[in-house]
Structures are given as structure tokens and as C-alpha cells.
Amino acid sequence: MALPRSTAATWILSAVAVTAGVLLTGCSASVSVGKSDPKLSADELAATVSEKLARTTGQPEPDITCPEDLAGKVGTTTRCELTADDGSTLGVTVTVTSVDGERINFGIKADETASPTAG
């Protein structure tokens, strides 16, 4: 039986939030950026976070946007946003855990509660 669109979107966000709380707290990703002062562009960061969330939750890749590049300095954080089909959003915090030469390693943690659709 097909779920209504808003219910399906809520379910996806709930799955990400629940999984995020359990699995993504210690979850990490790493990207080699090929610069002396490593930095990961906002677009590359969004794509990597989306891929990692999809692999972790077993869901399709979510729509992720990140407002800024991620500097390769331990402790640096940025906030990205997951947007569901119904327009509701879920915040995602990305924190640099280590830098190994040109490789930036970071953890991903999704918020526990989604924001409702605007309007």
C-alpha cells in the first residue's frame, strides 16, 4: 500500500533522524581535496553527506544543501539542510574530526526533529 506523500516524507525524515541519532553520531566520511590548505566545496560536501546518509539509512539519497565550504581544520563545523519532498527540513551538523594531509575526515549528525513545511 502506497503511503500519502506527506506521510512518506515524514517517514523518510524520521528514519534519517532515528538512524542519525543512533548511527551517525559516530559516523564519519573523508574526502581528499588535493590542496595544500584543504577545503571541501559546499557542493562536494552536500553530495558526500547525501551519499553517506543514503548508505546509512538504506533510503534514496536525500536533497542536501550546505551553505559554505568546509575548511580542513579539526573542530570546524558547518550546518547543512536535508529537504524532504513535502518541503519539511532536517538540520545536519558536519564536524571535521581530523585532517591527514589533503584528506578531510568529518562526522555527520542529523537533528532529532524535523522542521515543518513553511506556509
Side-chain angles (χ1 to χ4, degrees):
M1 178 165 107
L3 294 173
R5 185 180 192 118
S6 63
T7 304
T10 302
W11 179 83
I12 289 169
L13 285 173
S14 295
V16 170
V18 169
T19 303
V22 176
L23 298 176
L24 295 182
T25 300
C27 180
S28 64
S30 60
V31 178
S32 182
V33 292
K35 294 182 182 177
S36 60
D37 187 20
K39 184 180 282 189
L40 184 60
S41 77
D43 290 340
E44 290 176 290
L45 178 60
T48 303
V49 169
S50 181
E51 291 168 14
K52 187 66 175 175
L53 287 173
R55 259 195 320 263
T56 303
T57 63
Q59 298 291 321
E61 287 187 18
D63 178 23
I64 301 283
T65 55
C66 299
E68 60 190 7
D69 296 346
L70 181 65
K73 181 177 178 190
V74 175
T76 299
T77 63
T78 190
R79 292 278 294 167
C80 297
E81 185 174 81
L82 181 154
T83 303
D85 290 341
D86 70 351
S88 57
T89 60
L90 185 67
V92 179
T93 301
V94 178
T95 305
V96 176
T97 55
S98 66
V99 178
D100 183 14
E102 299 171 351
R103 187 175 212 61
I104 300 172
N105 300 303
F106 55 88
I108 304 165
K109 185 172 187 322
D111 294 348
E112 293 185 24
T113 306
S115 298
T117 350

